[in-house]
Amino acid sequence: MTARHLRSALLLAAVVPLTAATAAAALKAGHLRLHADRHHIALQPRPRRSCPDCRGAGGWGAGGPDPEMEACGCWAERRELRIRLLPVPAWPDQPPF
């Protein structure tokens, strides 16, 4: 193992538990959904069950011939937090054959 790989492994070993602890604290404090894979960790807002407007449904149906859901402000106006871990590999434009 080279010094560069060792330094990267030590940094990753220090960052991952800290990131997981931060994500767990944020999930407990707010109404957030956790999505994690090897490329990123995302904390996405969820509707509050105690919201007086949508009562936890996340919105309400808008009338008309093409009914759509109008999002409630209890979750739609909050931003998504994303922590990037590894770069996403590029997809080729053309197949290799």
Side-chain angles (χ1 to χ4, degrees):
M1 181 178 281
T2 65
R4 181 178 173 203
H5 288 113
L6 180 62
R7 184 174 57 231
S8 297
L10 289 175
L11 180 64
L12 189 61
V15 171
V16 170
L18 178 64
T19 304
T22 304
L27 286 172
K28 287 181 182 178
H31 299 278
L32 298 169
R33 179 180 316 134
L34 174 69
H35 172 79
D37 60 20
R38 63 184 224 170
H39 300 293
H40 68 273
I41 297 173
L43 297 171
Q44 302 161 336
R46 288 189 326 197
R48 290 191 328 240
R49 284 189 249 168
S50 62
C51 178
D53 294 330
C54 69
R55 295 181 182 87
W60 46 88
D66 188 21
E68 294 182 3
M69 184 174 154
E70 186 173 335
C72 182
C74 71
W75 70 275
E77 296 171 1
R78 293 189 303 165
R79 65 180 204 175
E80 176 181 325
L81 303 172
R82 188 174 288 229
I83 301 168
R84 192 169 167 187
L85 299 176
L86 294 173
V88 178
W91 288 90
D93 291 338
Q94 296 292 328
F97 47 87

